[in-house]
Amino acid sequence: MKRAAICLLTLLALQQACAQEKKQSLFQRVDSMLSLRYYKSGMDTAYIVRPQTKWTIAARFNVSGSKIEAEGIENGRHFKSEMEANRKATLSVGVSYLGLSFNASLNPAKLMGKYRDYELNFNSYGRRFGFDVIYQNAKNFTGWHDHEGMERIELPDGLLSVKTLNLNAFYVFNSRRFSYPAAFSQSYIQRRSAGSFLLAASGMGQHATLDWDQKMELKMTNLALGGGYGYNYVPTQGWLLHLSALPTFVVYSNTSMNFGDTEVPLHYHFPEVIITGRGAIIRQWGNKFLGISMVYNFTNIGHKESLALHNTKWRIRTFFGLRLPASR
């Protein structure tokens, strides 16, 4: 009986060991496949390379803001308005494994009830393709309105409610030598200076409601195509400076604006543009990196001789990261 029990326990232990070995073997195969894809060539390694690590941990501090300006002529008199939303600040921590990332963010002001808006930022920076998606639902705009021949009117918080969606996508022609991720996700390292022409598409949708003397409602949809140029400057080992500009011209526009019962025409006027600018400064030493990056969106619709609208959206990010040593 004892021998049978010993044999049974031995078989169970062997079965568990074999199952564990199979799990480890499966994990190793998956890890090997991901590693092969991660380090796969297709780039000029004299200019860009992958970090020789699999895991990256980064802490980020983000600040963002937005502004809306309106300018035009009403009854022969010039007017101008400017409304700016409260700035949003968040803290986030991210973990990346072979380029796949997970991030968690915290907005201290929202937790304390001082920030009532909602904002979502989603971006992806690949070697050839990349995009930014920014959605904002804001009700905390404050500003002013100037009308020729009249005293300036201060516009308090709560009058303007705006929902805005900004999209920008790009294609990198010189992806073998120029890397957007080196500046914005640190999943590549730029070793030598290089630039690239860029193909771009942009879009913007906005629904705004102003509850003032008379209710104003704006609905706007714009799609734009264009291109630009980006450059990564490496002055010395360990430093990276990035600048890029992507002007796109509106090819489709659908805008309606109403003041009470009055509809204000907003006719297409060339050039109507959506411009996306990016910049970054990175310092890296050993397995650590430190930097600051910026994304700027500007939209110009209409003409100031009748009615022009300018939308500005920006985000600044500072970050510190650590690449964990790991064998390939």
Side-chain angles (χ1 to χ4, degrees), residues 247-258:
T248 57
F249 296 91
V250 174
V251 295
Y252 172 80
S253 180
N254 184 8
T255 303
S256 63
M257 188 176 222
N258 295 282

Side-chain angles (χ1 to χ4, degrees), residues 33-221:
M33 290 173 61
L34 289 173
S35 298
L36 180 62
R37 184 176 179 181
Y38 183 73
Y39 292 107
K40 188 178 178 181
S41 187
M43 55 187 146
D44 188 337
T45 54
Y47 285 82
I48 55 175
V49 294
R50 284 284 199 182
Q52 298 302 306
T53 57
K54 295 181 180 180
W55 291 92
T56 301
I57 300 175
R60 302 180 177 94
F61 177 66
N62 307 279
V63 180
S64 62
S66 62
K67 182 169 66 174
I68 300 175
E69 297 173 289
E71 184 177 8
I73 303 293
E74 183 183 15
N75 298 324
R77 294 188 299 175
H78 177 263
F79 70 87
K80 186 173 183 180
S81 301
E82 181 179 302
M83 299 289 284
E84 187 169 4
N86 289 346
R87 293 176 183 176
K88 174 191 172 186
T90 60
L91 298 168
S92 66
V93 176
V95 178
S96 176
Y97 174 72
L98 294 178
L100 302 175
S101 300
F102 174 79
N103 294 276
S105 62
L106 175 69
N107 186 340
K110 197 170 185 68
L111 293 177
M112 294 185 290
K114 297 180 179 180
Y115 187 87
R116 305 189 306 274
D117 294 353
Y118 175 78
E119 184 174 326
L120 173 67
N121 287 272
F122 182 70
N123 49 70
S124 174
Y125 293 101
R127 277 183 51 214
R128 292 184 178 87
F129 298 95
F131 61 86
D132 279 309
V133 179
I134 306 170
Y135 175 76
Q136 183 185 37
N137 185 349
K139 300 179 181 180
N140 61 1
F141 283 87
T142 58
W144 49 265
H145 175 78
D146 267 342
H147 210 122
E148 187 179 350
M150 300 175 63
E151 187 177 347
R152 170 176 287 195
I153 300 173
E154 298 296 328
L155 302 175
D157 182 6
L159 293 182
L160 181 64
S161 175
V162 182
K163 296 178 181 178
T164 306
L165 178 67
N166 291 99
L167 307 171
N168 178 257
F170 59 83
Y171 174 80
V172 179
F173 287 98
N174 187 22
S175 60
R176 283 178 51 81
R177 295 185 173 183
F178 169 82
S179 173
Y180 251 124
F184 291 95
S185 66
Q186 290 72 56
S187 57
Y188 286 83
I189 296 174
Q190 188 83 38
R191 302 179 68 183
R192 296 174 62 180
S193 301
S196 177
F197 287 102
L198 308 164
L199 186 65
S202 301
M204 179 188 176
Q206 188 171 77
H207 183 197
T209 303
L210 178 64
D211 192 5
W212 195 18
D213 291 340
Q214 54 182 344
K215 187 176 181 180
M216 181 276 287
E217 185 176 25
L218 168 70
K219 295 180 180 179
M220 180 166 52
T221 302

Side-chain angles (χ1 to χ4, degrees), residues 255 257 262-267 306-307:
T255 303
M257 188 176 222
T262 304
E263 183 175 348
V264 179
L266 194 64
H267 303 296
S306 53
L307 176 63

